[in-house]
Amino acid sequence: MAQHSTLTRPDERTGRPARANKVPPVDGWFWLIKVLTTGLGEVLSDFLARVAGPVPAVGGAGLLFVAAIAVQLRLRRCVPGVYWAVVVMVSVFGTMVADVAHVALGVPYALSAGSLAVALAALFVVWHRVEGSLAIDRVTGLRRELFYWAAVLLTFALGTAVGDLTAATLELGYLVAGVGFAVLIAVPAVAAKARWVGPVAGFWWAYVLTRPLGASFADWAGVSHQRGGLDLGTGRVSAGLAVAMAVALALSAGAARARTRRAGAGRSAD
């Protein structure tokens, strides 16, 4: 599932230097931060909806999402802080939209999950036909990046619907659902090692499942004892996840600097 490159290779058609990839290297830090963002988006959306009210919360989250993605698209290279801010806002806003569809419009989670799965599959088909690859080490131009963020948005929405379907509709509870998704997320790693699937398919499988994985455990920590949770409250869980995410980002940046220094030392030795 690892796709580590932050730069693409030189353009085969023009021979010009490769443009910087707009997605961080996919390593252990990437997956840890991704899970933290999904949990944070789940509980923060509930917290904001309760404190500010559903309509102001959805409107405010939508504006912040648009602002964040606009900044991301204008950058010429990957800035991890901006990238992960967009992912958080996708998680928050996507969760709110999914909740509105279910609570206000009465759309069953099974229907929304099925529809979103079809939409994501269709997007992947179009993306592959247009760009020739779904690999995220090649997210370099505006068109590719728009495909990427559309896929991210759909994976979050699909993961939200699947997580709620499992925990609520099927009545498995948040903890059991979280453990189940933790097992399922190991499947692409095993399949990739056995060469049953390629790294790109494994990446997107894991990317979808990190959403219900993080959200299930975050909900379990925040909801009341009557709902099978730890009753820590969405506000406290949101704050804890935000701190954990900030620490993970700092440690990830430190690890990236260390890799750069070692690479520079290796070139000097040669």
Side-chain angles (χ1 to χ4, degrees):
M1 289 186 295
Q3 301 178 43
H4 295 280
S5 176
T6 56
L7 290 174
T8 60
R9 30 185 189 272
D11 191 297
E12 296 176 354
R13 293 171 298 179
T14 66
R16 296 174 181 173
R19 288 179 288 182
N21 188 32
K22 298 289 291 292
V23 178
V26 180
D27 53 13
W29 290 112
F30 178 95
W31 291 114
L32 174 60
I33 297 169
K34 173 62 164 59
V35 172
L36 291 173
T37 62
T38 62
L40 177 59
E42 178 72 16
V43 291
L44 184 58
S45 65
D46 292 340
F47 176 74
L48 293 175
R50 189 180 71 251
V51 172
V55 174
V58 173
L63 290 175
L64 288 175
F65 165 68
V66 171
I69 194 68
V71 173
Q72 167 68 19
L73 293 175
R74 288 179 63 86
L75 294 173
R76 299 183 64 83
R77 62 183 179 86
C78 178
V79 178
V82 176
Y83 172 88
W84 289 113
V86 177
V87 175
V88 169
M89 291 316 305
V90 169
S91 182
V92 172
F93 183 60
T95 299
M96 290 179 174
V97 171
D99 288 342
V100 167
H102 178 72
V103 176
L105 303 180
V107 179
Y109 287 128
L111 177 59
S112 59
S115 301
L116 288 165
V118 171
L120 181 60
L123 176 65
F124 281 155
V125 169
V126 175
W127 183 359
H128 193 274
R129 281 196 169 189
V130 173
E131 296 293 341
S133 174
L134 304 180
I136 66 156
D137 61 350
R138 303 177 189 177
V139 181
T140 54
L142 177 61
R143 187 172 64 187
R144 292 181 183 180
E145 192 172 8
L146 289 174
F147 273 124
Y148 173 77
W149 285 113
V152 168
L153 193 58
L154 285 174
T155 61
F156 268 86
L158 175 59
T160 298
V162 170
D164 289 335
L165 172 67
T166 305
T169 305
L170 301 182
E171 299 182 350
L172 295 180
Y174 295 112
L175 179 59
V176 173
V179 172
F181 288 120
V183 173
L184 287 174
I185 206 170
V187 171
V190 175
K193 183 169 289 188
R195 297 185 179 181
W196 296 336
V197 299
V200 175
F203 170 83
W204 286 111
W205 171 278
Y207 203 91
V208 170
L209 288 180
T210 50
R211 169 57 185 165
L213 172 68
S216 296
F217 281 114
D219 276 332
W220 173 64
V223 300
S224 64
H225 296 306
Q226 290 78 10
R227 297 175 61 190
L230 298 179
D231 200 20
L232 298 178
T234 54
R236 280 185 287 182
V237 176
S238 296
L241 288 172
V243 171
M245 183 177 167
V247 171
L249 280 169
L251 293 175
S252 174
R257 288 193 296 268
R259 286 196 301 269
T260 301
R261 286 196 297 269
R262 286 196 298 269
R267 287 193 295 268
S268 299
D270 294 339

